[in-house]
Amino acid sequence: MPATPGPGHSGPQSVDRALAVLDAVADADRPVGAKTLARDLGCALSTVYHLTGPLLARGYLVRTAEGYAPGPRVPALHRSHQRHHGLGAGTGDLLGRLRRATGAEAYHTAYRDGLITVVDTTAPVTDTGHPFTPGPERRAHATAHGKALLAALPRPLRRRYLAEHGMARLTERTITGAERFEAEMDRVRGQGFAVSVGEADLAYTCLGVALPERGDGIVHALSVSLPTAESGRRRGEIRAALARAVPAFPALPEN
């Protein structure tokens, strides 16, 4: 299927295609050949070589005998991403421990400057059917991690976020009314955690908890998701695991 511009795309087609190359290589579980990239992007083989040239030169890709793979610049971007979000290097380890403790996929999400982003997850990048993937979170009102973050914000910031991003009805269970959502925020703050039962995707239930704010304007949350069919009997166990994970959340040393 030809690659299509993502939401909010407004840049040159060559830039979008270069990013599509990076996405395709990053999402694959092994090196990707040029012919495969051309087929997936719906472009000529010569276009692939044109796009990958600068990516190879800048270290975003490397070329192996099997095809293209992520290059040495990628880990540096990840470290920069962590630094800009005020994170230490152990966040991935913490998510892994949370995954082993609960048997459910675990996530780190953050609110910063009016945006909510899924920063990291234990879900395999090759699992394209998984509903919660790293990147901008456009369904925050319907997810546990989004609810946890929004409940931690002052009401004016929360209302501004919802006005800008909307409250689309994603399933029959999605909360779309402002008054009902504010009541949900009161409930989240009162019980200390957020729950979404099939609100973003009927097949999934997620539980999330916001971390104590550190005064830098960034709000973090930890969450897990599991099939809705098995969520009821395991909710107490998962809440306890999330509570144990909160004080273990790594942060960069304060200056």
Side-chain angles (χ1 to χ4, degrees):
M1 177 182 295
T4 56
H9 165 77
S10 60
Q13 186 181 44
S14 60
V15 174
D16 187 70
R17 280 184 163 174
L19 293 174
V21 167
L22 280 177
D23 285 341
V25 173
D27 291 345
D29 56 2
R30 57 182 299 139
V32 184
K35 290 182 179 179
T36 300
L37 287 172
R39 184 183 67 244
D40 292 347
L41 269 65
C43 65
L45 188 60
S46 59
T47 300
V48 170
Y49 292 131
H50 174 74
L51 294 171
T52 56
L55 298 174
L56 289 166
R58 291 175 175 266
Y60 292 104
L61 294 179
V62 293
R63 187 159 44 203
T64 72
E66 296 180 83
Y68 297 101
R73 178 64 180 150
V74 174
L77 287 177
H78 180 62
R79 290 192 295 271
S80 176
H81 176 71
Q82 288 185 313
R83 185 173 67 253
H84 281 277
H85 281 83
L87 303 177
T91 310
D93 292 337
L94 175 61
L95 292 180
R97 294 197 299 272
L98 187 56
R99 170 71 174 81
R100 290 189 293 274
T102 62
E105 301 297 355
Y107 312 86
H108 164 223
T109 313
Y111 167 92
R112 181 178 186 175
D113 297 330
L115 296 174
I116 290 178
T117 304
V118 179
V119 180
D120 201 1
T121 171
T122 59
V125 294
T126 53
D127 183 2
T128 57
H130 196 78
F132 310 115
T133 56
E137 176 57 272
R138 297 179 175 86
R139 303 170 297 175
H141 65 291
T143 65
H145 49 256
K147 289 183 184 181
L149 291 170
L150 291 170
L153 297 179
R155 184 168 183 173
L157 285 182
R158 181 168 59 253
R159 294 181 66 178
R160 184 184 308 165
Y161 178 91
L162 294 172
E164 291 178 356
H165 297 272
M167 300 176 67
R169 183 174 296 281
L170 304 171
T171 76
E172 61 194 34
R173 298 178 177 177
T174 308
I175 299 174
T176 58
E179 290 187 12
R180 186 180 168 200
F181 192 78
E182 280 302 317
E184 179 73 358
M185 295 294 92
D186 290 340
R187 185 179 301 110
V188 171
R189 286 188 293 269
Q191 63 191 12
F193 66 95
V195 180
S196 169
V197 181
E199 294 180 45
D201 186 311
L202 285 173
Y204 288 89
T205 286
C206 47
L207 286 80
V209 59
L211 279 68
E213 192 170 355
R214 297 175 297 175
D216 57 2
I218 306 173
V219 187
H220 302 274
L222 293 174
S223 63
V224 298
S225 72
L226 67 163
T228 295
E230 62 180 76
S231 63
R233 59 183 173 81
R234 303 191 55 213
R235 191 171 297 181
E237 164 199 346
I238 291 174
R239 282 177 54 192
L242 282 169
R244 291 193 300 270
V246 168
F249 185 78
L252 290 174
E254 294 184 4
N255 295 325

